[in-house]
Amino acid sequence: MPQHDRPHPRRRVRGSRTALAALAGALLLGACSAPGAPRAAAPTAPAPSAASPLPTAASTPGGTLLVADFGADTVTFVDPERGAVGSVRVGRAPYGLAVGADGRAWVATAEGVAVVDTKTRTRTALIPYRTTGTGPVTGGEYRGGGMGIALSPDGAHAYVGVNVPGTTGVLEVVDTAGSEVTMVVPVGRRPFDVDVSRDGSEVYVTGHDSFDVTVVPVGSAGPAGPAPRRIEVAPYGTEGGLGSWLKPHYAAVRPADGMLLLPFEGERLAVVDPRTGRTTVEKMTADTHQHGAAVTADGRLLVVGTGAVEPGKGKGPSLTVRSPDGSERVYPLDGPHEDVAVSRDGRTAYVTGGYTRDGYWNGITVVDLDSGSSRRLAAGSRPLGIAVLG
């Protein structure tokens, strides 16, 4: 059963909280547990097709979705009305992906960074990681290799967080013109997410197992390379260590001021100033374990809720839509989900059902952000990362 934190009694904004140190004997539910925890059998996923049936520019219109099939070795193209329309093989266990203005998708797999021409629906390159020690090429959440990935605003560089099992991870910088790794920077443990400042001068790497964000100043890197800065992000403390549920997962960059927004448990939003390292905490209302996050052009924050960490101690899966003034709408979802992307017009959210623990499913939930109405689409094999094609 894919997992990543060990459950423990919930800690609330609104009352006394049990110490995290007492969690060692808690019943393992499998949501975010440490490596080596017992795993239940996962549902069998149908194998997607090896390639698109229509490999032409006209076959991939704007608004098509692209998802990373963590349960296979493919990315899948998804019509937001009809569902999956074709897949391309990219490499083992793809996790995150990012798409540039030129239509190329950069996909973090266990084997390397795959490059996909989304117009012709072909893989044009597989760039191996420079980092050693990532272990065998395999699947599962604890596999070594790429996790979060992002592109610089000008598309000149791809930044991929590489998991090195058992130790700290690295950020590998890819020159997109030459399709090669040009720089490796140490970051935190298991880099779930990678984000870039609006001006492209900094990269932010969320270290799930190290309770931190690493700020990498790529815009002014000298001959010796950038000097990364670690910011601890732990609004509940770090007492639970690797077994804690209360670790950062995904971040979003607020358009108005460049602050980093990291949601925790549908209770607390950590607002991090990457320049000073100062963190303030705001209240959230969904009362659910939270993973994927995205922000719209007008500053709304979307956060994926995966469900209660323990039965009876929290609410079910949901999508939170948080306005810039802090008000929230919480829309229920049917079953756990992982990540989220937003349509170009900002009116529709696409939430992947892949999830990084037991309970995932092979599809996407489409949510109308005005009404909260939703529908499901069959799409891919345990889809995690998602992007909307231009």
Side-chain angles (χ1 to χ4, degrees), residues 4-251:
H4 58 248
D5 294 325
R6 191 180 307 279
H8 57 71
R10 293 291 301 277
R11 300 181 64 174
R12 307 273 186 216
V13 170
R14 57 179 181 273
S16 61
R17 304 180 182 276
T18 305
L20 290 176
L23 303 176
L27 175 65
L28 183 64
L29 298 180
C32 297
S33 64
R39 296 172 181 257
T44 301
S49 59
S52 167
L54 297 170
T56 66
S59 69
T60 309
T64 299
L65 311 175
L66 187 67
V67 297
D69 295 321
F70 196 59
D73 59 358
T74 57
V75 292
T76 293
F77 293 81
V78 183
D79 182 301
E81 297 297 329
R82 299 183 293 123
V85 294
S87 300
V88 174
R89 297 193 182 279
V90 290
R92 187 69 187 277
Y95 194 100
L97 55 81
V99 180
D102 60 2
R104 287 188 297 172
W106 301 80
V107 187
T109 81
E111 300 176 55
V113 177
V115 187
V116 175
D117 185 326
T118 63
K119 296 178 181 178
T120 62
R121 297 187 188 176
T122 55
R123 190 187 81 177
T124 59
L126 182 63
I127 305 166
Y129 300 118
R130 185 187 293 181
T131 303
T132 60
T134 57
V137 175
T138 185
E141 188 189 347
Y142 295 107
R143 63 132 176 87
M147 297 186 74
I149 189 168
L151 285 169
S152 60
D154 61 5
H157 296 94
Y159 306 106
V160 56
V162 178
N163 180 38
V164 182
T167 186
T168 53
V170 298
L171 179 74
E172 297 210 2
V173 181
V174 178
D175 180 327
T176 58
S179 293
E180 62 177 345
V181 176
T182 58
M183 187 179 298
V184 178
V185 182
V187 295
R189 294 176 69 107
R190 278 208 296 159
F192 259 53
D193 196 20
V194 176
D195 297 274
V196 182
S197 63
R198 291 174 65 83
D199 65 1
S201 64
E202 293 182 329
V203 177
Y204 310 119
V205 185
T206 302
H208 177 267
D209 285 357
S210 48
F211 297 89
D212 60 23
V213 169
T214 302
V215 179
V216 181
V218 295
S220 58
R229 294 182 287 112
R230 177 183 183 269
I231 301 174
E232 182 175 286
V233 186
Y236 292 92
T238 63
E239 298 93 328
L242 291 177
S244 173
W245 280 72
L246 305 177
K247 296 181 284 190
H249 293 79
Y250 296 81

Side-chain angles (χ1 to χ4, degrees), residues 276-333:
T276 66
R278 182 174 181 267
T279 298
T280 58
V281 176
E282 299 177 5
K283 182 179 179 180
M284 298 189 75
T285 61
D287 192 19
T288 183
H289 192 58
Q290 291 177 316
H291 281 204
V295 67
T296 64
D298 62 3
R300 288 170 295 162
L301 175 67
L302 276 57
V303 185
V304 180
T306 68
V309 297
E310 292 185 70
K313 295 188 176 182
K315 298 178 182 178
S318 63
L319 178 68
T320 291
V321 182
R322 183 182 179 91
S323 297
D325 64 4
S327 61
E328 294 185 346
R329 289 173 292 163
V330 180
Y331 298 138
L333 296 176

